[in-house]
């Protein structure tokens, strides 16, 4: 069965997200660990977690994906901003252990004039500081559109970060279909070629999740503007090829398209109809 969901608001807790997922026929979902701008995280309630775990089991939700606040910048030139990223992510990873065995995705960061090399080193340093051998959570680097000085615009940049991390078994990648297309990988015209490249540079075994978005702008535009499924430059056919591709079809897919809940429900239903059971 296709494992698909969308980004949900975490403000009402875990059980509320499971209920919302159920309404839209999602069997997984993504959520921010705290305010996306990075404020203080809400206290986790064990009661809420227990209720969530029960519901998840009933509904066939086998995994969920957490997303770090997008304002974190682990490779800022400003030491206090880097420190904030370390402290926030360390706290998030502690909280992730309430729902063990899931993934935590983050944006590598923007180097802002320091250069890619320094940026990559800062990101690897942070990961070496926060990753613990006993954690059950896998941390995912998201492929980025390459807006401004974003790191992670190429598979090589992500590979370079992974190479410098000691606990490599805790690191994976989340591929965002809008971002990779924006950064110049033609997943609409040559999906096989892009996945071969991914495999050669990073290794497909590291690919743990897909952000499934259409893109408002064209190949290599570096714009990072998500579009509804089938309403962007990727188009529905390309997205249907992505969810059915033999290297991807068993991964969890997360919609981050500009939609309300009813819109997500429509996209999930459309994609379920387009998924070929083998
Ligand atoms: Fe993201
Ligand atoms: Fe994304
Ligand atoms: Zn994006």
């Amino acid at each position: 069965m296709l494992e698909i969901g969308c980004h949900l608001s975490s403000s009402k807790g875990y059980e509320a997200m499971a209920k919302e997922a159920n309404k839209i026929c999602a069997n997984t979902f993504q959520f921010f660990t705290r305010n996306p701008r990075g404020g203080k995280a809400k206290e986790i309630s064990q009661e809420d977690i227990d209720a969530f775990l029960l519901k998840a089991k009933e509904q066939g939700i086998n995994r969920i994906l957490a997303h770090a606040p997008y304002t974190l910048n682990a490779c800022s030139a400003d030491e206090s901003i880097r420190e904030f990223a370390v402290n926030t992510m360390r706290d998030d990873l502690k909280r992730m252990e309430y729902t063990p065995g899931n993934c935590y995705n983050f944006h590598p960061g923007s180097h802002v004039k320091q250069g890619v090399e320094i940026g990559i080193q800062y990101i690897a340093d942070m990961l070496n500081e926060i990753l613990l051998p006993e954690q059950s959570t896998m941390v995912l680097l998201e492929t980025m559109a390459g807006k401004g000085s974003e790191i992670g615009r190429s598979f090589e940049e992500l590979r370079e970060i992974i190479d410098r991390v000691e606990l490599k078994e805790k690191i994976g990648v989340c591929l965002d279909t809008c971002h990779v297309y924006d950064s110049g990988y033609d997943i609409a015209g040559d999906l096989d070629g892009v996945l071969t490249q991914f495999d050669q540079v990073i290794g497909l075994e590291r690919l743990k999740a897909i952000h499934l978005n259409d893109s408002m702008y064209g190949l290599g535009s570096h714009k990072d503007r998500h579009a509804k499924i089938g309403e962007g430059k990727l188009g529905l056919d390309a997205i249907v090829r992505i969810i059915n591709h033999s290297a991807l079809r068993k991964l969890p897919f997360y919609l981050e398209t500009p939609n309300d809940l009813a819109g997500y429900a429509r996209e999930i239903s459309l994609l379920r109809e387009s998924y070929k059971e083998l």
Side-chain angles (χ1 to χ4, degrees), residues 67 107 142 176 179 211 213 226 256:
H67 195 305
H107 296 177
E142 182 167 348
D176 186 310
H179 295 177
H211 283 168
N213 304 307
H226 302 188
E256 301 174 313

Side-chain angles (χ1 to χ4, degrees), residues 64-82:
I64 52 177
L65 176 63
H67 195 305
Y70 51 71
T71 48
L72 295 189
N73 189 4
C75 61
S76 168
D78 182 335
E79 198 188 335
S80 68
I81 293 176
R82 293 200 305 276

